[in-house]
Amino acid sequence: MRNSAPIALLIILLFIPIQARNHPPPCSTSCGVIHNIGYPFRLKGDPPHCGDPDYELYCDNHNRTILNFHAGLYYVNNISYAQRLIRLVDINLAAGNCGLPYRSLGLAEVAGDGRYYRQYFSPHATFVRCSKEINSMGSSMVPCLNGNTSRVYLNYTNYMLYVSDITSYCDIIAMVLSDHKVDQFPSSYEEIQRTLQLGFDMRWAVECRDCRADGGYCQFPTQESSRFHCSKEDDYATQLRNAILFLAYVFVIGLILFCRYILAPLVIFAFLLYKCFSSRNRIPR
Ligand SMILES: *[C@@H]1O[C@H](CO)[C@@H](O)[C@H](O)[C@H]1NC(C)=O
Ligand SMILES: *[C@@H]1O[C@H](CO)[C@@H](O)[C@H](O)[C@H]1NC(C)=O
Ligand SMILES: *[C@@H]1O[C@H](CO)[C@@H](O)[C@H](O)[C@H]1NC(C)=O
Ligand SMILES: *[C@@H]1O[C@H](CO)[C@@H](O)[C@H](O)[C@H]1NC(C)=O
């Protein structure tokens, strides 16, 4: 009984460091109105074990959660882990002010990135600057961006607009990804502005990022599906090994056929010939 105190102390001393190792510093889960920050997302400044560095968000001085994507800055409005969707709004468009987005962003950038995915037919709002008035786009003129000799319009489409899609009087100056309710296709500048304020969804795909890092490429079999297939081009060593295996196979098959249909009959023929001669030689004796 007298010895139990030092032993207890020893046990406690042994366990303290283990306890500390089992409880790493906690990760932040909330910033402002976003309370569910978790894997793969992490907040800048959190310990390294939190989330994935490719999916880093930060919390600004006004407690707004921000994603820096392709040098654009986006407020995070919502994160849905069930659907793997993050809803973003360009910081310049969130308040509904007239003007350009902080950074132009279209499907091409998302598709080329690998960390996120958006279906091919994605609504875009495209800012076009035209050297003359285009009457068909009159209702979507962006008043604050008009110059002395130019007009800026915001054209809303269900797909990404290319230079070849617009008249030769106009140039694309910026585009924004968007999502609208099925029955509310916006057409006037004010309607488009309100739609852009609500932001757009991007689906994250950590496995797709990993697939690309591994030299493969992602294929999303159906547009609505979040499942994808990682396709891989065989590398040179694999192709070489397959070619050698194929040649070896052909050689072995060839050898078997050669033995079976050429060598074996020849041997039998030679044997019979030999028999024949040797028996003929024997007859006169
Ligand atoms: C941001 O959130 C923290 C923690 O909830 C709070 O202490 C701080 O006052 C907030 N800052 C602003 C500018 O709202
Ligand atoms: C976030 O998205 C989820 C799922 O779509 C939805 O249920 C929830 O109401 C949204 N929250 C906000 C604040 O918009
Ligand atoms: C537009 O017109 C105003 C008034 O004529 C002039 O002061 C200004 O310099 C012009 N701006 C440009 C960009 O040409
Ligand atoms: C937007 O651009 C598309 C493609 O060029 C065109 O078909 C459509 O009419 C434009 N929208 C408006 C409102 O002019």
Side-chain angles (χ1 to χ4, degrees):
M1 272 314 217
R2 234 183 294 140
N3 283 344
S4 65
I7 291 175
L9 192 68
L10 190 69
I11 289 173
I12 288 170
L13 285 178
L14 276 175
F15 269 84
I16 283 171
I18 294 172
Q19 285 286 319
R21 235 180 289 138
N22 284 346
H23 291 281
C27 306
S28 321
T29 57
S30 92
C31 162
V33 296
I34 304 296
H35 300 293
N36 63 343
I37 296 169
Y39 184 86
F41 296 102
R42 58 174 269 112
L43 266 186
K44 199 185 176 82
D46 264 7
H49 68 89
C50 301
D52 188 309
D54 269 350
Y55 295 87
E56 188 165 81
L57 310 173
Y58 72 91
C59 198
D60 79 353
N61 295 335
H62 302 281
N63 284 344
R64 285 172 305 205
T65 312
I66 296 182
L67 172 72
N68 181 332
F69 183 72
H70 278 248
L73 296 178
Y74 303 88
Y75 293 132
V76 177
N77 271 10
N78 198 349
I79 304 178
S80 162
Y81 291 90
Q83 294 167 290
R84 296 187 177 196
L85 291 177
I86 183 167
R87 177 156 277 259
L88 305 168
V89 191
D90 183 283
I91 57 165
N92 278 8
L93 304 174
N97 297 332
C98 181
L100 288 174
Y102 180 83
R103 180 90 182 186
S104 178
L105 180 71
L107 184 66
E109 283 88 9
V110 180
D113 185 88
R115 288 173 295 175
Y116 296 94
Y117 163 76
R118 247 177 96 89
Q119 64 191 57
Y120 186 72
F121 285 103
S122 285
H124 286 68
T126 310
F127 291 80
V128 293
R129 179 178 283 134
C130 308
S131 58
K132 66 171 205 173
E133 289 215 13
I134 310 292
N135 290 330
S136 69
M137 293 200 285
S139 70
S140 66
M141 189 189 283
V142 186
C144 64
L145 294 178
N146 286 334
N148 285 349
T149 56
S150 69
R151 294 281 175 270
V152 173
Y153 302 94
L154 190 50
N155 182 336
Y156 199 94
T157 43
N158 260 328
Y159 50 91
M160 185 174 145
L161 215 59
Y162 287 93
V163 180
S164 53
D165 293 326
I166 56 175
T167 79
S168 55
Y169 303 107
C170 305
D171 275 320
I172 293 175
I173 52 177
M175 61 178 71
V176 198
L177 287 165
S178 179
D179 282 311
H180 60 268
K181 297 214 175 66
V182 181
D183 54 344
Q184 291 174 5
F185 193 91
S187 57
S188 73
Y189 176 57
E190 288 74 22
E191 283 169 9
I192 300 174
Q193 251 185 323
R194 278 197 294 276
T195 306
L196 295 182
Q197 263 185 283
L198 299 176
F200 60 94
D201 284 328
M202 285 209 295
R203 195 180 293 280
W204 69 82
V206 182
E207 302 90 333
C208 185
R209 192 264 327 250
D210 294 343
C211 168
R212 284 185 175 219
D214 223 16
Y217 60 94
C218 283
Q219 287 176 309
F220 289 83
T222 59
Q223 292 183 354
E224 292 299 327
S225 167
S226 63
R227 299 161 65 88
F228 72 95
H229 179 69
C230 184
S231 307
K232 271 196 165 175
E233 293 284 333
D234 286 340
D235 59 15
Y236 178 70
T238 313
Q239 285 177 4
L240 191 68
R241 202 190 61 206
N242 288 345
I244 290 171
L245 279 178
F246 178 73
L247 286 180
Y249 177 77
V250 167
F251 178 76
V252 168
I253 294 289
L255 201 64
I256 290 171
L257 292 179
F258 176 77
C259 293
R260 172 78 180 75
Y261 292 107
I262 297 175
L263 200 62
L266 267 182
V267 168
I268 292 168
F269 182 69
F271 177 74
L272 290 177
L273 217 59
Y274 168 80
K275 270 281 198 201
C276 192
F277 272 108
S278 53
S279 56
R280 241 208 271 151
N281 287 348
R282 239 182 280 135
I283 290 170
R285 284 192 198 164

